Amino acid sequence: MTYNLLANFIDSQNYDIRISRNGRWIDQKCAFDAVCFVADCIVEYIRDGGSQTFQSPDVWKSEYAVKNVQLWFGKPDPLIPTTMDEYNKFFRQPMKMLAAANILSEKRVGNAIQFSVEKIEILEFIGLRERNSYDFLCLYIEKTLRDSGLWDSFESFFDEQNKNSLVQLKSAFTNFCIKYTPINTEVEANRIFIKVLNPLAVKYFKKGIVK
């Protein structure tokens, strides 16, 4: 797997949120280091004989994930019941994003979300190192914005780089989320705005937003 093959895959997809209505195409826990780690954990889970159809706790309770999430992220033991909510978000949000990107698939069965791997070679590439995860995020975010008719607003901000253009961009993003996804408040939209803007700002050597 190479960057060019990843780019070709992303380019072949249709990520138009106006069609999918998916408000969780990216989320708060989808920073490049977390996405890299979760992808790696899924790959190791499958390699170790884990079921191809899995739920997020199946992965984060695996021996590999339990050991390394504490080592690399300084998080508490995933097997402690009081950490369930934290780990559901930390693992499931990147999984849902990977499903939105068509690298995983997801379906709801009762109250549970079940995932399957669709593109193992891309998942391996993302999980190999954080730079790969960052490259994936930039390609995926930009393609989603372009497919969804939002790219012009981001491009205007990158051109103008002032407070007024940032306010206009946040407003456009919020209005879009409320119109086309289950997200229904400005606060909720703002929570993911930083995850959308900042990777692209770094890529294009532009100003982003401070949390």
Side-chain angles (χ1 to χ4, degrees):
M1 187 69 192
T2 65
Y3 176 88
N4 287 338
L5 289 174
L6 172 65
N8 289 338
F9 171 79
I10 296 293
D11 191 55
S12 72
Q13 305 301 302
N14 182 358
Y15 296 140
D16 191 341
I17 300 168
R18 295 169 296 186
I19 297 173
S20 70
R21 304 279 171 164
N22 188 351
R24 300 304 172 193
W25 66 277
I26 195 168
D27 220 319
Q28 285 178 281
K29 303 298 184 182
C30 294
F32 68 89
D33 56 346
V35 173
C36 178
F37 179 72
V38 171
D40 184 39
C41 287
I42 296 171
V43 169
E44 289 299 321
Y45 171 79
I46 297 297
R47 285 176 179 168
D48 287 344
S51 172
Q52 171 60 268
T53 301
F54 55 88
Q55 298 175 21
S56 61
D58 295 328
V59 176
W60 55 258
K61 290 182 179 180
S62 67
E63 182 179 354
Y64 182 85
V66 168
K67 175 183 176 181
N68 287 288
V69 77
Q70 296 177 86
L71 177 64
W72 295 110
F73 291 89
K75 287 185 172 292
D77 187 342
L79 301 181
I80 298 174
T82 54
T83 65
M84 181 176 293
D85 286 344
E86 177 180 357
Y87 280 106
N88 264 331
K89 291 178 181 178
F90 185 79
F91 279 82
R92 190 166 62 182
Q93 288 183 10
M95 287 182 185
K96 289 183 70 65
M97 184 194 68
L98 291 166
N102 298 324
I103 297 166
L104 303 180
S105 62
E106 69 169 298
K107 65 177 180 179
R108 183 170 288 278
V109 179
N111 293 325
I113 299 175
Q114 294 186 343
F115 297 94
S116 296
V117 177
E118 296 294 324
K119 299 292 181 181
I120 187 65
E121 70 280 5
I122 296 179
L123 199 64
E124 289 171 342
F125 180 80
I126 294 170
L128 185 63
R129 58 176 183 162
E130 291 182 356
R131 177 56 195 248
N132 291 359
S133 177
Y134 168 75
D135 287 339
F136 158 72
L137 279 174
C138 288
L139 289 168
Y140 168 66
I141 292 169
E142 182 168 338
K143 182 63 161 58
T144 302
L145 295 175
R146 289 184 182 277
D147 287 352
S148 303
L150 273 171
W151 180 248
D152 286 350
S153 296
F154 281 79
E155 202 165 38
S156 294
F157 170 68
F158 291 147
D159 287 340
E160 297 175 19
Q161 292 282 271
N162 56 48
K163 185 176 180 179
N164 185 55
S165 63
L166 177 61
V167 170
Q168 290 177 346
L169 175 59
K170 288 182 70 175
S171 177
F173 184 81
T174 297
N175 291 340
F176 179 91
C177 290
I178 291 173
K179 182 176 182 179
Y180 291 109
T181 78
I183 293 173
N184 56 19
T185 67
E186 181 178 351
V187 171
E188 191 175 0
N190 285 341
R191 285 179 183 146
I192 65 172
F193 177 70
I194 189 172
K195 300 301 182 183
V196 175
L197 175 60
N198 280 357
L200 297 177
V202 173
K203 177 182 179 180
Y204 291 112
F205 301 96
K206 301 292 185 177
K207 296 177 183 177
I209 187 171
V210 178
K211 187 174 181 181

